[in-house]
Amino acid sequence: MSDLPEFTIRVDQNPYLPAGGREMHAIVTVGATGVTGALAAGSAAPAAGSAEIIIIDTSGSMSYSGKMAAAKRAARAAINVMRDDVHFAVIAGANGPRMIFPRGDRLVRMSAVTRERALAAVGRLDAAGGTAIGSWLSMAGRLFADHPGAVRHAILLTDGKNQHETDEQLDEALTQCAGVFVCDARGVGTDWDPAELRKITSALLGSFLDVPDPDDLEHHFREMTESAMGKQVADVALRVWTPRHAKLRFVKQMVPTVQDLTGKRVESGTQTGDYPLGAWGREEREYHLCVEVPPGDVGRQMRAAWVKLVVPGAAPDAPARELAMGNVLAEWTDDEAKSTRINARVAHHTGQQELAEAIQEGLEARRKGDEDTATARLGRAVVLAQKVGNEQIAGLLDRVVDVLDPATGTVRLKKDVSKADELSLDTRSVRTVRTGPAPRPEPDGTQG
C-alpha cells in the first residue's frame, strides 16, 4: 500500500489552434482525493512528521486595542489543536526574534507536558519594541532546517509595517526561507501593509488575510492550525516538460488564490522544470499554464506540455516519486469554430486574474490620489466580479465605490472609506471562486 494520498491531475483546455497559431492555455486541476495505507485515518500524521511554529508580533503597538490579549488567546487555541506528535515552537517578534517556548533554538515534540508549558509561556507574552519580520522568519527557517521531510508550516501574526529592517534584509530572509517552510499570515488591525504580507506569503507559498477585529484572531489561528494538521505530504511540485522550441510562458495558481509561480521554477531535467506547490492534504487546487509552441500546419498534432506531480524520493539521492500526470495537447485546424472556442475554465480564471490586478491597481491609484485611474480600474473590477461570479468581491467593492451601472462598470469613488474596508478588498482580491464541474473528457482526449 502507498503511504501517500491518491493524487489526480485533470487538464481542461481547447486543444485547437488556427494554422500558424502558437499560444496554448490550459487549466490543470490537481487533487488529493483519498488516502491509502498508513494515512487512511483523517487524523493520522504524515510519515515524516509535522513541524509547526507560531510567530507572534510583540512590538509596542500590539499593546493597544486588545491585540496582545487576543494574540495570546489565538496562540493558545493553535497549541490546543496540534497533534501530540507535532514538533513545535513559539517565537515572539519585535526588533528581533525571541524564543518563547521551548528554551533554546529547537523544536520540541507536543505532549501533555509541553502543551501545558507552552500555554503558560504564551501567557507571559508582553509587547515592546519594533518590527523586523525578516529576522523572525529567519529564525523559523533555522528551526525548521532540523526537520527535513516533515510538513513544515508557520503562522505569522503582525499588526504593523516592517519598519525596523530594510527591504533588502526582508528579501534576503525570504530567499533563505523559500522552500524551507510554508507560511500563512494574518494582519490584525489596520496599520499593516498588505503588499508586505502578499510578498511574504507568495515567497513562502502561503496565504494571508486581514483581521480587523482582534477578537477574531482565535478563530483564524485555530482554522490555520487545523488545516496544517490535515497536510500529509510535504514538498509537492508540479513538474512540466515542454517540447523543443516551445516556451512555458507562465504557471499560476488560480484556486484557492491567485499566485504566480513562474519565477519559482527549478530546472529538473532537459526541457523540464519544477514549480513548488508546498504541502498537501485532502484538497484540490487549480493552475493556469500558458505554453508558446512552434507554429504548425493544419492537421498536425503534438503534446504541448507534459505535467506531473512529484515529491522528493525516500533518500536524498533517490529520484523523485511521480504521483500523477496529464497532457496539454495542441492540434492545428482550419475549422474556425474549433480554433476560436475558448475553454470555459480558461476564460473564468483569466477573468479572476484580471479582477485581482484591477483591484490592486485601482486601490494603489486611489492611495496616490489618481482618481481617474482608480475609478477606471475599480469600475473594471465591478464588471469582472459580476462576470466570474465572485459575490464576496462584489460586496467589498460596494463599500469602496458607488456602482452606477454594473454592466458597463460605471462607478463613483466613495469619499469616506474605512481603512478596514480598503484592506479587506485589497487582501481578498486574490481569493477566487471555482467554476462548476468540468465536462467529462471527450473520446478523442481533447479535455486532457
Side-chain angles (χ1 to χ4, degrees):
M1 285 188 174
S2 171
D3 62 346
L4 298 173
E6 290 183 18
F7 282 91
T8 60
I9 284 180
R10 185 179 71 243
V11 179
D12 290 290
Q13 64 168 139
N14 173 16
Y16 295 106
L17 291 170
R22 300 177 63 95
E23 193 169 275
M24 178 55 64
H25 291 262
I27 302 301
V28 176
T29 301
V30 178
T33 57
V35 182
T36 60
L39 298 179
S43 60
S50 296
E52 186 79 18
I53 297 177
I54 302 171
I55 307 172
I56 302 293
D57 185 337
T58 57
S59 61
S61 57
M62 285 289 290
S63 63
Y64 299 99
S65 304
K67 288 181 285 190
M68 195 71 254
K72 292 180 184 181
R73 292 194 299 271
R76 291 192 190 103
I79 290 167
N80 278 326
V81 297
M82 290 184 200
R83 293 189 309 268
D84 281 350
D85 62 288
V86 173
H87 285 82
F88 78 107
V90 181
I91 295 173
N95 294 75
R98 178 167 57 94
M99 289 294 293
I100 297 301
F101 185 83
R103 295 181 180 276
D105 289 356
R106 61 193 178 97
L107 304 183
V108 295
R109 186 181 295 274
M110 180 66 77
S111 67
V113 172
T114 57
R115 192 187 310 272
E116 182 179 355
R117 291 176 178 171
L119 293 172
V122 166
R124 296 190 290 270
L125 283 170
D126 56 6
T131 305
I133 298 174
S135 69
W136 313 347
L137 296 171
S138 292
M139 171 173 273
R142 293 193 297 272
L143 298 177
F144 279 127
D146 292 332
H147 298 267
V151 173
R152 305 172 301 279
H153 177 258
I155 291 173
L156 168 67
L157 173 68
T158 186
D159 78 327
K161 299 177 178 66
N162 195 44
Q163 295 176 324
H164 293 87
E165 64 183 6
T166 65
D167 290 343
E168 290 75 18
Q169 287 173 310
L170 176 59
D171 289 343
E172 182 179 356
L174 293 176
T175 298
Q176 293 171 349
C177 294
V180 178
F181 63 97
V182 171
C183 181
D184 290 317
R186 294 295 182 266
V188 63
T190 58
D191 294 326
W192 52 280
D193 184 355
E196 282 183 349
L197 287 195
R198 183 176 290 115
K199 178 168 75 170
I200 290 167
T201 54
S202 176
L204 303 182
L205 299 176
S207 63
F208 75 103
L209 275 176
D210 59 305
V211 188
D213 186 346
D215 287 341
D216 293 332
L217 279 175
E218 190 172 348
H219 162 74
H220 280 266
F221 270 52
R222 185 180 294 109
E223 185 177 61
M224 284 187 287
T225 308
E226 288 175 343
S227 176
M229 294 300 98
K231 304 298 183 186
Q232 297 164 329
V233 187
D235 304 321
V236 179
L238 189 69
R239 177 165 292 177
V240 185
W241 171 92
T242 50
R244 289 183 62 193
H245 308 303
K247 179 181 179 182
L248 190 57
R249 293 186 57 194
F250 62 75
V251 177
K252 297 179 181 180
Q253 177 181 281
M254 299 307 302
V255 172
T257 58
V258 177
Q259 192 171 109
D260 193 346
L261 303 178
T262 310
K264 301 181 186 299
R265 178 185 176 101
V266 176
E267 298 299 325
S268 56
T270 305
Q271 299 156 227
T272 306
D274 289 358
Y275 298 84
L277 307 184
W280 278 70
R282 294 189 182 189
E283 60 189 296
E284 190 173 87
R285 306 180 202 171
E286 298 179 17
Y287 301 90
H288 185 178
L289 273 61
C290 178
V291 186
E292 185 177 301
V293 295
D297 298 325
V298 170
R300 184 188 171 199
Q301 299 176 330
M302 69 175 293
R303 176 191 280 165
W306 191 10
V307 293
K308 300 179 180 180
L309 205 66
V310 300
V311 293
D317 57 348
R321 299 170 65 180
E322 297 180 2
L323 307 178
M325 64 183 66
N327 291 307
V328 178
L329 308 175
E331 180 177 345
W332 285 265
T333 180
D334 56 6
D335 185 332
E336 187 175 353
K338 287 184 175 182
S339 65
T340 58
R341 186 177 69 227
I342 300 176
N343 177 271
R345 290 200 166 209
V346 171
H348 178 77
H349 286 315
T350 299
Q352 295 201 125
Q353 180 182 330
E354 187 184 351
L355 171 61
E357 293 170 351
I359 290 171
Q360 291 166 27
E361 291 168 3
L363 290 176
E364 180 64 19
R366 184 178 178 277
R367 286 189 284 268
K368 292 179 177 179
D370 184 351
E371 293 193 1
D372 289 343
T373 299
T375 301
R377 299 305 290 145
L378 292 174
R380 177 60 179 161
V382 167
V383 174
L384 291 165
Q386 185 178 37
K387 180 179 178 182
V388 303
N390 197 324
E391 295 180 2
Q392 182 188 46
I393 292 297
L396 291 171
L397 282 164
D398 283 341
R399 302 179 188 178
V400 177
V401 297
D402 293 315
V403 181
L404 307 179
D405 186 346
T408 62
T410 304
V411 303
R412 181 174 55 237
L413 299 180
K414 290 182 183 287
K415 295 299 182 184
D416 298 315
V417 177
S418 73
K419 185 67 180 295
D421 285 342
E422 184 178 327
L423 279 174
S424 288
L425 179 58
D426 193 344
T427 300
R428 297 165 195 268
S429 63
V430 297
R431 303 184 77 83
T432 54
V433 294
R434 293 183 184 275
T435 58
R440 294 181 63 85
E442 298 174 8
D444 63 359
T446 57
Q447 293 291 336

